[in-house]
Amino acid sequence: FLAALTKITGSFESAIEEASKILKLEGKVIPSTCDHVNICAELENGVLLTEENEIIDRKNSLVHERSPIKRVFLNPPAQSNPHAITAINEADVIIICPGSLYTSIISNLLVKGIPEAIKKSKAKLVYIVNIMTQISQTPNFKTSDHINQIIKYLSREPDFIIINTEKPDEKLIESYKHENAFLVENDIKTLKNFKSKIILKDLLDNVSEKKLLWEKKDLLRHNPHKIAELVMSLIE
């Protein structure tokens, strides 16, 4: 969808603007960079993965057994989008949301200027931890492992760390196990070592209600209204 719009409009940024209009988004989508880059990963055994598809390795059901990811980086290095820096500078709160830890979240923190702007910002920094592990990126990861990776690439701790405490239905957990994905363990004792304020709360979405974008499968998600209410309470 975005690739087609990029060809039509002539730029990725313009494509996002058009997509936002088509989808009638209430917010504003600003890419962290407009450069053409690949996210790469070095595994602990020294193997280099040179693009996102290699990191995800969707067709490999045993990808969780490969050597763990040691570090990720962009090739070539990317420069930040000035509009993204402006948005960060003007923000009251910066939220690092759930998602694929390396390819969707940390990939933005690899863009030159983005982590520096976040570190300088006076906005409150909030990190919302994933509910489930991912077979290719975070197998066996506990909550503290997710947090440590964010800190590693951002070079600062979040002000608030939000963690879901409600346990999903066993049937859903079992369906994830078939894909070698598991509930992220909240290692509470280890979390006490962080300076961040840890917020433990029931934030699970009601998956009995089918969602338009992913109605083909019941997926575990944070409840957007609960998250919004909680985040707003942090900045009032």
Side-chain angles (χ1 to χ4, degrees), residues 104-160:
S104 293
I105 308 304
I106 289 175
S107 55
N108 293 282
L109 304 181
L110 299 174
V111 176
K112 289 182 179 180
I114 296 294
E116 291 82 0
I118 294 175
K119 284 173 65 177
K120 291 179 182 178
S121 173
K122 295 181 180 179
K124 292 180 179 178
L125 179 61
V126 179
Y127 174 44
I128 305 170
V129 184
N130 285 9
I131 296 173
M132 305 297 294
T133 63
Q134 283 188 296
I135 180 173
S136 61
Q137 300 189 47
T138 56
N140 305 313
F141 265 43
K142 299 178 181 179
T143 297
S144 62
D145 296 315
H146 286 80
I147 298 168
N148 279 324
Q149 289 302 302
I150 293 296
I151 294 172
K152 174 182 176 180
Y153 290 96
L154 190 54
S155 298
R156 67 159 284 190
E157 284 196 29
D159 298 303
F160 300 94

Side-chain angles (χ1 to χ4, degrees), residues 199-213:
I199 300 175
L200 303 167
K201 200 165 183 179
D202 163 16
L203 297 167
L204 200 63
D205 200 7
N206 181 5
V207 292
S208 64
E209 299 176 5
K210 293 288 185 180
K211 302 297 187 295
L212 181 62
L213 292 178

Side-chain angles (χ1 to χ4, degrees), residues 29-48:
V29 179
I30 305 171
S32 56
T33 182
C34 295
D35 294 348
H36 293 281
V37 297
N38 278 314
I39 181 169
C40 308
E42 179 186 0
L43 306 184
E44 289 187 359
N45 64 1
V47 171
L48 287 178

Side-chain angles (χ1 to χ4, degrees), residues 6 18 33 39 49 55 83 221:
T6 299
E18 289 303 314
T33 182
I39 181 169
L49 307 176
I55 296 173
H83 297 300
R221 293 286 186 271

Side-chain angles (χ1 to χ4, degrees), residues 12 15 21 32 48 51 53 76 107 123 152 159 187 198:
F12 181 60
K21 293 175 185 176
S32 56
L48 287 178
E51 59 181 30
N53 284 339
S107 55
K152 174 182 176 180
D159 298 303
D187 45 342
I198 307 295

